[in-house]
């Protein structure tokens, strides 16, 4: 009986992840939210497409873009900023990925500020009326790094203005 429970404990998380990650894909960045949701930014292993997925542990509620093709890369914009020097230089590392869908702007973020050693990740959703909703992520649940997008020629880079 213990063997079956141990096997179930291993297989169940894999079946949940199967909805968020197909065999031909890899995770660029993912995290769980404080409300029990999951965000996964995935890409085809051969860079054929990139897709944002969000939902609960049982199923993906939103996948953007719906089409999995090379043009999907053009629907996202990435920006980052890094200043070293630790606390005495107000060091920071900022990573943002934005896209628009159905009149809403989505911004994935991962930030670190040396001054107070604060880390944060999440999603800011802005409606057409300017109202913002913040979905806070659990920093310790992060897998991957948006920072790898900096090296990609497939995604548009934005200037941080800093």
């Amino acid at each position: 009986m213990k063997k079956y429970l141990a096997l179930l404990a291993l297989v169940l998380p894999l079946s949940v992840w199967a909805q968020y990650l197909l065999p031909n894909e890899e995770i660029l960045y993912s995290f769980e939210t404080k409300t029990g949701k999951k965000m996964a930014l995935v890409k085809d292993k051969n860079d054929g497409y990139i897709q944002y997925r969000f939902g609960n542990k049982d199923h993906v509620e939103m996948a953007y873009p719906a089409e999995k093709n090379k043009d999907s890369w053009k629907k996202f914009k990435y920006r980052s900023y890094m200043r070293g020097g630790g606390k005495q230089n107000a060091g920071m590392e900022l990573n943002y990925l934005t896209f628009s869908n159905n009149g809403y702007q989505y911004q994935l973020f991962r930030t670190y500020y040396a001054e107070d050693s604060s880390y944060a990740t999440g999603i800011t959703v802005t409606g057409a009326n300017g109202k913002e909703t913040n979905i806070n992520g659990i920093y310790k649940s992060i897998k991957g790094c948006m920072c790898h997008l900096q090296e990609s020629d497939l995604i548009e880079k934005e200037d941080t203005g800093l």
Side-chain angles (χ1 to χ4, degrees):
M1 183 66 168
K2 284 185 181 182
K3 288 181 186 178
Y4 293 116
L5 289 175
L7 183 60
L8 183 62
L10 289 173
V11 172
L12 189 58
L14 293 176
S15 65
V16 169
W17 260 106
Q19 296 179 15
Y20 285 88
L21 190 66
L22 300 174
N24 65 307
E25 297 174 339
E26 58 189 19
I27 292 176
L28 283 168
Y29 189 67
S30 74
F31 59 83
E32 296 172 16
T33 71
K34 295 180 179 181
T35 59
K37 303 281 186 170
K38 179 180 209 58
M39 187 292 301
L41 181 67
V42 302
K43 75 173 194 75
D44 173 69
K45 290 178 182 175
N46 295 315
D47 293 332
Y49 62 86
I50 184 172
Q51 191 175 54
Y52 163 89
R53 296 179 185 147
F54 183 83
N56 62 38
K57 66 178 184 139
D58 297 323
H59 76 284
V60 175
E61 296 169 7
M62 178 184 167
Y64 178 84
E67 314 80 33
K68 295 182 200 170
N69 57 40
K70 203 74 160 183
D71 286 339
S72 62
W73 290 93
K74 296 175 186 171
K75 298 181 187 242
F76 295 88
K77 294 180 182 175
Y78 174 75
R79 70 182 191 280
S80 66
Y81 178 75
M82 183 173 177
R83 178 172 59 217
K87 188 174 186 176
Q88 63 274 18
N89 192 43
M92 63 181 73
E93 186 176 344
L94 312 173
N95 291 272
Y96 302 98
L97 183 73
T98 58
F99 66 92
S100 295
N101 185 35
N102 293 327
Y104 291 88
Q105 171 132 359
Y106 295 78
Q107 179 174 262
L108 309 180
F109 64 88
R110 183 181 68 85
T111 60
Y112 165 70
Y113 295 96
E115 287 183 295
D116 61 359
S117 296
S118 65
Y119 296 85
T121 192
I123 308 161
T124 302
V125 183
T126 306
N129 62 0
K131 181 182 177 194
E132 287 187 355
T133 301
N134 289 309
I135 302 169
N136 295 315
I138 301 169
Y139 200 85
K140 290 185 178 189
S141 70
I142 291 174
K143 292 183 178 38
C145 184
M146 274 192 285
C147 59
H148 298 302
L149 292 171
Q150 184 65 39
E151 299 144 16
S152 174
D153 293 330
L154 298 170
I155 198 159
E156 181 182 341
K157 315 296 186 313
E158 289 185 313
D159 186 5
T160 59
L162 296 177

